[in-house]
Amino acid sequence: MSADKKEQIINAAIDLFSENGFEGTSVRELANQAGVNVAMVNYYFGSKEKLFEALVEKRSLFIREKLEQLAATETPTEIEKVDAVVDHYVNRLLLQHKFHRTITLELLLVKRENLHENITRIFARNKEILMTIIQAGIRKGEFREVDVELTIVSLIGSINQVMLSKSLCRLAIAGNNAFDPYTDEAFKKRLTTHIKQLMRAHLLK
Amino acid sequence: MSADKKEQIINAAIDLFSENGFEGTSVRELANQAGVNVAMVNYYFGSKEKLFEALVEKRSLFIREKLEQLAATETPTEIEKVDAVVDHYVNRLLLQHKFHRTITLELLLVKRENLHENITRIFARNKEILMTIIQAGIRKGEFREVDVELTIVSLIGSINQVMLSKSLCRLAIAGNNAFDPYTDEAFKKRLTTHIKQLMRAHLLK
DNA sequence: TTAAATTAAACAAACGTTTGATTAATTTTT
DNA sequence: AAAAATTAATCAAACGTTTGTTTAATTTAA
């Protein structure tokens, strides 16, 4: 029972934190959505804030693997690796978009800075992998000598700009007032195609 | 007296909302920072939420002008206009980074969606102008036939990714653990140079 | 029969907001 | 021009709610 309820609470927390933020979500609301008694949150996690920490801890473990494997796999050209990274990154962000929004929201705020370090570690690992790939391309003479760090910023930033908020996405993409950027397959294809094109134009000699 | 205090309250609100979010900022905290009595917030603005609306209303008026003027000015090539847009956009975001963060934070959340429309209008106008410039470049044969909307997403996204949060910025840019992305001139130069380069590689035939 | 899980109820603290009184400034009346 | 009436600005105090958390009692599981 215990593991189940803990999981339910974490899921409810991701749902609500991603939509209303940490301060905008009450423990009662959260317990109600998880279908448990209010007291269970503090019984299992100690406090609302520690629940947040546990949430980050639990979900971030799941992330790291695939990207590393992807970077280690040999490919004929380095740009193909970049393509694969774009595909993977977009897919992963779509799959975990609520979790991703939750921790990004947290990073934008100044309160609870002790949590920032934990979140930072997740991002830092991804950055390292992307750095390795692009630097390899430069060393081999396949890529231009670009600003590697800011190239990664543009790659991630392009995705975040539309993925983090439906409002922002609807704003950027005209016409589709009712579509959901997190599930629309056509949009996903359009986004990955654009970013790959952008990176190829930017990186290739 | 009235105009002064209203302005003080709005300034305090931008300061605090940008760091702690709307829900994370109490009216007492806000009034204290503004140096006014707690009651004045509701006396002048009606409610905490209406203060937010007034804040958006007031500060968004200031924004529109320069970009429009910039789009209307003739230049030898269209890419020069893109360069100017990048310079202007980065400068403007730096100048108003707290306001920009405040309204972006609001867009990421789902609560208070009535406010979203007001904020959306600000972004939409900027998008229109950027669309015009890039489409002109394509029509003249100077630019490739790129995905115009997503090109704008990449331009803005590249800036937002580092500008919205010091945590995110420190994460992206190694070594400079103590530097402030909103005031560091060298970083501003580096960012604009990168984005201009990225846009040239992406747009020019 | 212990120990763990779950609950309803209660807790103090903090929340946004309203109140009624007071002062300062402005307008109206004489 | 002086007095009276009206309006606007400001304040401390209190309002009723909601907040995160804790307690103490009860149920469930081992």
Side-chain angles (χ1 to χ4, degrees):
Chain A
M1 295 282 161
S2 146
D4 259 20
K5 293 221 164 169
K6 281 183 87 166
E7 190 63 24
Q8 281 171 249
I9 293 172
I10 287 184
N11 285 336
I14 293 179
D15 262 29
L16 294 173
F17 290 174
S18 76
E19 293 199 341
N20 309 324
F22 180 80
E23 335 276 349
T25 304
S26 77
V27 178
R28 280 170 184 79
E29 206 181 346
L30 204 143
N32 189 54
Q33 166 121 347
V36 303
N37 187 277
V38 214
M40 299 312 287
V41 173
N42 283 305
Y43 177 72
Y44 280 127
F45 298 97
S47 71
K48 186 188 175 189
E49 194 160 334
K50 279 189 193 143
L51 158 62
F52 200 169
E53 289 170 21
L55 180 163
V56 172
E57 183 66 29
K58 179 126 194 189
R59 291 306 177 92
S60 66
L61 284 175
F62 164 68
I63 297 192
R64 307 175 192 174
E65 308 143 21
K66 181 71 184 286
L67 205 60
E68 292 181 356
Q69 166 201 329
L70 206 145
T73 308
E74 281 298 317
T75 52
T77 60
E78 289 301 310
I79 194 69
E80 287 174 66
K81 256 185 204 169
V82 176
D83 283 348
V85 163
V86 171
D87 277 327
H88 173 60
Y89 224 99
V90 170
N91 275 312
R92 190 165 69 57
L93 251 58
L94 281 173
L95 218 67
Q96 298 199 290
H97 71 267
K98 284 183 180 179
F99 174 66
H100 183 245
R101 168 131 48 119
T102 301
I103 60 176
T104 306
L105 260 171
E106 184 58 22
L107 275 186
L108 293 208
L109 299 180
V110 170
K111 280 187 176 171
R112 293 182 302 284
E113 285 201 319
N114 58 312
L115 239 169
H116 286 207
E117 208 187 329
N118 302 9
I119 300 177
T120 297
R121 231 174 290 128
I122 305 172
F123 284 66
R125 185 74 196 103
N126 292 349
K127 181 198 160 188
E128 286 308 315
I129 297 171
L130 295 183
M131 292 269 295
T132 307
I133 294 176
I134 295 177
Q135 277 164 344
I138 295 175
R139 204 174 43 250
K140 289 182 184 174
E142 185 184 336
F143 293 169
R144 283 188 271 214
E145 295 208 354
V146 296
D147 187 324
V148 180
E149 287 180 321
L150 287 183
T151 299
I152 295 170
V153 163
S154 290
L155 199 164
I156 311 293
S158 295
I159 304 175
N160 276 347
Q161 185 69 14
V162 284
M163 288 299 193
L164 285 180
S165 145
K166 287 188 195 175
S167 293
L168 273 172
C169 192
R170 294 218 184 86
L171 213 127
I173 310 301
N176 310 302
N177 259 4
F179 95 124
D180 181 347
Y182 312 125
T183 59
D184 192 296
E185 276 296 319
F187 175 68
K188 184 170 106 182
K189 178 70 188 160
R190 185 178 158 194
L191 182 64
T192 52
T193 302
H194 161 74
I195 297 177
K196 286 179 192 173
Q197 217 169 283
L198 180 75
M199 284 298 125
R200 280 169 178 269
H202 178 59
L203 288 171
L204 291 178
K205 277 184 172 171
Chain B
M1 297 280 163
S2 144
D4 257 21
K5 294 222 164 167
K6 282 183 86 166
E7 189 63 23
Q8 280 171 249
I9 293 172
I10 286 184
N11 284 337
I14 292 179
D15 261 28
L16 294 173
F17 289 174
S18 77
E19 293 200 341
N20 308 325
F22 179 80
E23 334 277 348
T25 305
S26 77
V27 178
R28 281 170 183 80
E29 206 182 347
L30 205 143
N32 189 54
Q33 166 123 349
V36 303
N37 188 276
V38 212
M40 300 312 288
V41 173
N42 284 302
Y43 176 74
Y44 280 126
F45 297 97
S47 72
K48 186 187 175 189
E49 194 160 335
K50 281 189 191 143
L51 157 64
F52 200 169
E53 292 171 19
L55 181 162
V56 172
E57 182 67 28
K58 179 127 195 189
R59 289 308 176 89
S60 66
L61 285 174
F62 164 68
I63 297 192
R64 308 176 192 172
E65 307 144 22
K66 180 73 185 284
L67 206 59
E68 293 182 355
Q69 166 202 329
L70 206 146
T73 309
E74 282 299 316
T75 52
T77 61
E78 289 300 309
I79 194 69
E80 288 175 66
K81 256 185 203 169
V82 176
D83 282 349
V85 163
V86 172
D87 277 327
H88 174 60
Y89 225 99
V90 171
N91 275 312
R92 191 164 70 55
L93 250 59
L94 281 174
L95 218 68
Q96 298 199 290
H97 70 268
K98 284 184 181 180
F99 174 67
H100 184 244
R101 168 132 47 121
T102 301
I103 60 176
T104 305
L105 260 171
E106 184 58 21
L107 274 186
L108 292 209
L109 300 180
V110 170
K111 278 187 178 171
R112 296 181 300 283
E113 285 201 319
N114 59 313
L115 237 170
H116 286 206
E117 209 187 329
N118 302 10
I119 299 176
T120 297
R121 231 173 290 128
I122 305 173
F123 285 65
R125 184 76 196 103
N126 291 351
K127 182 200 158 186
E128 286 306 316
I129 296 171
L130 294 183
M131 291 269 294
T132 308
I133 293 176
I134 295 177
Q135 278 163 344
I138 295 176
R139 205 174 42 250
K140 288 182 183 172
E142 185 183 334
F143 293 169
R144 282 189 273 214
E145 294 207 353
V146 297
D147 187 324
V148 180
E149 287 180 320
L150 287 183
T151 299
I152 295 170
V153 163
S154 289
L155 198 164
I156 311 294
S158 295
I159 304 175
N160 276 346
Q161 186 68 14
V162 284
M163 287 299 193
L164 286 180
S165 146
K166 286 187 195 175
S167 294
L168 274 172
C169 191
R170 294 217 185 87
L171 213 127
I173 310 301
N176 309 301
N177 259 4
F179 94 123
D180 181 348
Y182 313 125
T183 58
D184 192 296
E185 277 296 320
F187 176 66
K188 184 170 107 182
K189 179 71 188 158
R190 186 179 157 193
L191 182 63
T192 52
T193 301
H194 162 74
I195 297 177
K196 285 179 192 174
Q197 216 169 283
L198 180 74
M199 285 296 126
R200 280 169 177 269
H202 178 58
L203 289 170
L204 292 177
K205 278 184 170 171

